[in-house]
Amino acid sequence: MSEPRWLDDLEMAAWTSFVEAGHRVDRALERQLKDEAGLSHPQYEILVHLADAPDGELRMAELADRLITSKSGITYQVAQLEKLGLVRRRACPEQARGVYAVLTDEGSARLRGAAPAHVARVREVLIDVLDREQLAVLAEALGVVGRRLRAHDRA
Amino acid sequence: MSEPRWLDDLEMAAWTSFVEAGHRVDRALERQLKDEAGLSHPQYEILVHLADAPDGELRMAELADRLITSKSGITYQVAQLEKLGLVRRRACPEQARGVYAVLTDEGSARLRGAAPAHVARVREVLIDVLDREQLAVLAEALGVVGRRLRAHDRA
DNA sequence: TAGGTCCAGTTCAAATTTGAACTACTTCGA
DNA sequence: TCGAAGTAGTTCAAATTTGAACTGGACCTA
């Protein structure tokens, strides 16, 4: 290991802000969803990604990749959502070992009901606090960071 | 609930980038610390905050606030670190019910050993990917987001 | 077509995290 | 000086998360 290059003041400020904001926003939304929709954040995210997908269905591995969590975590959370009747499993017709998670009508309704309050909170804690220029830089800068790691994670 | 104001393209891009980057960076650092230092991210963070504090000690509640986690979570992780000999508990002399977590010499040494590789990874995944202007906007924008929520959390 | 290697998901045990009691001390206010 | 409310941490059970092993097919390749 060579000489470490420590972070200067600006770098440190960017780093700590990023970490703190990430954690606090997470917690705020976790609470909001639990209180107002009775869903955990991972559960809500699963519903969102399914709703976005064509036919409201996605393979388990695809879900794990999008939620940035482990395969077993997805198995568990999809099982929870299945108990709630919000998601259904469907064997993949071609790939024998494949499984689709499918959004049910009830899941879709639940998501529609939960979304407005969730979006309102997202605005309140993040979006509406920033101006357009800041949003643009965030989108661009963190977009690059995310894509680099995503590519690396898949490799 | 009034009409929800949905997110426009820019807002949505900022939001999803923020969430994805947050999760992926977290995971990358989690792995790095576990592999190269044998510490979990929360454990590492505790050591960092203690090292920053005067006399290397902090009250349990103060740690919980800085790590943005629950009180019981701190009790648990400090217990883990105590088993490893990296942290020690000390009764607070004045407030009878108070407890300090204190960084031990061994904890301090472990942190010094772990820091260079950790910083290198932080640079690799986030800092060195961005230019100075982007870092400045990140620090400013997310700084505001974090401080607002921190104030709210304490209230 | 036998044997090897991947793959997609699941299962399992262990570690962690959470919130809700609970414990004991402190601090007020009457 | 009594008792009600607060504080600071801990404990506990339940929920979640993780990685490692496992399962059963699919896909080579000789």
Side-chain angles (χ1 to χ4, degrees):
Chain A
M1 169 147 21
S2 61
E3 277 304 297
R5 264 171 65 229
W6 299 108
L7 303 184
D8 65 31
D9 288 351
L10 175 60
E11 290 165 340
M12 185 59 96
W15 170 239
T16 58
S17 300
F18 176 72
V19 170
E20 177 169 6
H23 284 175
R24 292 209 191 268
V25 167
D26 240 28
R27 268 180 110 64
L29 294 174
E30 189 81 44
R31 271 197 294 274
Q32 182 273 317
L33 284 169
K34 191 86 74 186
D35 292 350
E36 303 181 43
L39 292 169
S40 71
H41 202 180
Q43 288 170 351
Y44 180 83
E45 290 280 299
I46 288 174
L47 298 185
V48 168
H49 284 286
L50 290 180
D52 273 354
D55 296 320
E57 61 182 23
L58 240 26
R59 296 284 292 273
M60 300 298 271
E62 182 62 21
L63 269 178
D65 185 58
R66 299 202 191 187
L67 290 231
I68 311 163
T69 187
S70 61
K71 289 184 300 174
S72 46
I74 288 297
T75 296
Y76 176 78
Q77 286 297 354
V78 166
Q80 298 302 305
L81 288 170
E82 215 170 7
K83 281 186 206 159
L84 296 174
L86 308 181
V87 161
R88 187 165 52 75
R89 266 161 221 262
R90 182 168 82 73
C92 179
E94 281 313 308
Q95 270 74 4
R97 228 28 230 147
V99 173
Y100 279 106
V102 191
L103 192 61
T104 64
D105 291 343
E106 209 183 330
S108 169
R110 180 72 158 270
L111 180 57
R112 268 198 308 282
H118 182 66
V119 172
R121 189 85 177 113
V122 168
R123 281 199 172 282
E124 195 181 333
V125 303
L126 185 78
I127 300 296
D128 289 351
V129 174
L130 307 177
D131 62 34
R132 300 295 287 184
E133 175 57 21
Q134 290 175 317
L135 288 176
V137 174
L138 260 200
E140 163 65 18
L142 298 185
V144 172
V145 169
R147 279 191 295 280
R148 275 172 50 89
L149 284 171
R150 191 193 314 158
H152 191 276
D153 286 352
R154 300 231 207 194
Chain B
M1 171 142 27
S2 63
E3 276 304 297
R5 264 171 65 228
W6 300 108
L7 302 184
D8 65 30
D9 287 351
L10 175 60
E11 291 166 339
M12 186 58 97
W15 169 239
T16 59
S17 300
F18 176 73
V19 171
E20 176 169 5
H23 284 175
R24 292 208 192 267
V25 167
D26 240 27
R27 268 182 109 65
L29 294 175
E30 190 81 45
R31 271 199 293 275
Q32 183 273 316
L33 283 169
K34 192 86 75 186
D35 292 350
E36 303 181 43
L39 291 170
S40 71
H41 202 180
Q43 289 170 350
Y44 181 83
E45 290 280 299
I46 289 175
L47 298 185
V48 168
H49 284 286
L50 290 181
D52 273 354
D55 295 320
E57 60 182 24
L58 239 27
R59 295 284 292 272
M60 300 298 271
E62 181 61 22
L63 268 178
D65 185 58
R66 299 202 191 189
L67 289 230
I68 311 162
T69 186
S70 61
K71 290 184 301 173
S72 46
I74 288 297
T75 296
Y76 176 78
Q77 286 298 353
V78 167
Q80 298 302 306
L81 287 170
E82 215 170 5
K83 281 186 206 159
L84 296 173
L86 309 181
V87 162
R88 187 165 52 78
R89 266 161 220 262
R90 182 167 81 74
C92 179
E94 279 314 306
Q95 269 74 3
R97 222 36 224 144
V99 173
Y100 279 105
V102 190
L103 192 62
T104 63
D105 291 344
E106 211 184 329
S108 167
R110 180 71 158 271
L111 180 57
R112 269 198 307 282
H118 182 66
V119 172
R121 189 84 177 115
V122 168
R123 283 200 171 281
E124 196 181 333
V125 301
L126 185 78
I127 300 296
D128 289 352
V129 174
L130 307 177
D131 62 34
R132 299 295 286 183
E133 174 58 20
Q134 289 175 317
L135 288 176
V137 174
L138 261 201
E140 163 64 18
L142 298 185
V144 172
V145 169
R147 279 191 296 279
R148 276 172 50 89
L149 284 172
R150 191 193 313 158
H152 192 276
D153 285 352
R154 300 230 206 195

